[in-house]
Amino acid sequence: MSTILKWAGNKTAITPELLKHLPAGSRLVEPFAGSCAVMMATDYPSYLVADINPDLINLYQVIKNEVEYFIKEGRYLFEARNDSDAYYKTRQEFNLRHGGAIERALYFLYLNRHGYRGLCRYNHSGGFNVPFGNYKKTYFPEKEIRAFAEKAQRTTFICTSFEETLNMLLPGDVIYCDPPYDGTFNGYHSSGFGDDEQYHLASILERRSSQGYPVVASNADTCLVASLYRSFTLHRIKAPRSITVDAGGGKVADETIAVSRPLPVWSGIDLAKDRDWSAGVEA
């Protein structure tokens, strides 16, 4: 199952590797929603999915609550506007904040599927600025939308920072973090994500790990990441890349999956008694 959105760093291709490291638990907590590929590939009893990008969370919330109307209007929008003039007019309307939640969600999906390589990029003023992708035909992901809407019924979507999300943990939670990667494009939102944010995230994850929460985090395979997650077990993998390379180029990048180490039995911290260990990821 592919995702609703085209997304730089989409985890669909490396999901089999991630599933090896995601333990069972009562809820999966994702502070960086992205394309929700990991949510769609797992089967936890519930999910807490967050992102600082309000357009992304609005899209997911609208699909959760208004899937039939969204699909009907989305079909029409995709059929009626597949040229550069229509794209830039839609982008202008989107950046002027016209319309309510459903209309903005439709526009966001349209821009994602018609923009260059599905890139999600904003300028410092918060304006979506991805150019037209010039596709002969675009795909309206109705099948993916319906599957997402079903999974979303056991998901809470919130627009907030990773710090606030990681303050909402409950016994039995499993944490999966997929932040903007070190040394790569990080303009998914006007605030950006630099070295300071990488340090801050890693320090919070180390603290949550020491409190007994299982933590899995994806990032680039860089010296900074290796240093920040030195208390974790690091698994290095190759992942396909499509943004900024020619279609069909088949290029790959080195990535790291950081997995928290189990606490020693004498640590005195044990959240297992509060977990539903009969639930977890699909085989």
Side-chain angles (χ1 to χ4, degrees):
M1 173 62 68
S2 61
T3 54
I4 296 170
L5 298 171
K6 297 181 179 180
W7 203 258
N10 186 311
K11 291 296 167 287
T12 300
I14 68 165
T15 295
E17 287 296 322
L18 289 172
L19 294 183
K20 296 176 184 178
H21 307 294
L22 286 168
S26 57
R27 184 174 69 163
L28 182 66
V29 176
E30 293 193 66
F32 303 91
S35 66
C36 284
V38 174
M39 183 191 93
M40 293 305 298
T42 54
D43 193 26
Y44 286 89
S46 63
Y47 297 84
L48 175 62
V49 175
D51 203 277
I52 199 172
N53 185 331
D55 298 320
L56 186 64
I57 294 301
N58 177 62
L59 171 68
Y60 293 153
Q61 195 66 50
V62 165
I63 291 174
K64 176 181 178 179
N65 296 328
E66 303 285 350
V67 62
E68 293 301 333
Y69 182 77
F70 183 86
I71 287 173
K72 183 183 77 171
E73 294 298 313
R75 283 201 211 104
Y76 173 78
L77 183 64
F78 272 56
E79 290 170 359
R81 301 191 182 193
N82 188 24
D83 59 73
S84 61
D85 289 343
Y87 177 85
Y88 288 113
K89 182 179 179 180
T90 303
R91 194 180 76 174
Q92 182 182 35
E93 292 172 357
F94 182 79
N95 285 335
L96 289 173
R97 303 279 169 183
H98 289 170
I102 296 178
E103 188 173 1
R104 286 194 59 77
L106 288 165
Y107 283 177
F108 186 68
L109 177 63
Y110 171 90
L111 293 172
N112 173 265
R113 285 281 173 175
H114 290 76
Y116 179 75
R117 296 281 174 91
L119 192 62
C120 183
R121 186 183 67 193
Y122 296 81
N123 59 30
H124 290 297
S125 300
F128 191 88
N129 65 356
V130 177
F132 182 55
N134 199 30
Y135 303 111
K136 292 181 180 179
K137 186 177 181 181
T138 55
Y139 173 66
F140 179 65
E142 181 173 345
K143 179 178 66 174
E144 290 81 0
I145 290 170
R146 291 191 183 281
F148 183 93
E150 182 178 350
K151 179 65 73 71
Q153 299 312 308
R154 47 180 150 139
T155 304
T156 299
F157 297 102
I158 55 173
C159 182
T160 191
S161 66
F162 66 84
E163 300 100 324
E164 293 179 6
T165 306
L166 292 170
N167 279 332
M168 300 177 185
L169 297 178
L170 300 172
D173 282 349
V174 175
I175 303 167
Y176 173 64
C177 281
D178 182 32
Y181 279 14
D182 176 42
T184 62
F185 170 76
N186 60 28
Y188 303 102
H189 189 266
S190 56
S191 60
F193 201 92
D195 287 356
D196 289 345
E197 288 77 17
Q198 296 285 0
Y199 278 98
H200 189 36
L201 172 62
S203 67
I204 294 175
L205 294 180
E206 184 170 6
R207 186 163 66 251
R208 294 294 178 250
S209 173
S210 71
Q211 293 169 344
Y213 293 101
V215 178
V216 178
S218 303
N219 214 310
D221 183 15
T222 65
C223 292
L224 175 62
V225 170
S227 175
L228 292 177
Y229 293 91
R230 57 189 177 275
S231 66
F232 289 60
T233 300
L234 302 182
H235 303 270
R236 292 177 172 84
I237 62 171
K238 299 284 186 181
R241 282 288 172 266
S242 59
I243 300 296
T244 74
V245 300
D246 293 334
K251 293 193 176 182
V252 297
D254 295 323
E255 292 193 9
T256 292
I257 300 174
V259 181
S260 58
R261 294 169 180 158
L263 292 173
V265 294
W266 44 263
S267 67
I269 300 173
D270 183 13
L271 298 181
K273 64 180 182 297
D274 295 311
R275 294 192 181 114
D276 178 5
W277 292 104
S278 64
V281 298
E282 295 172 342

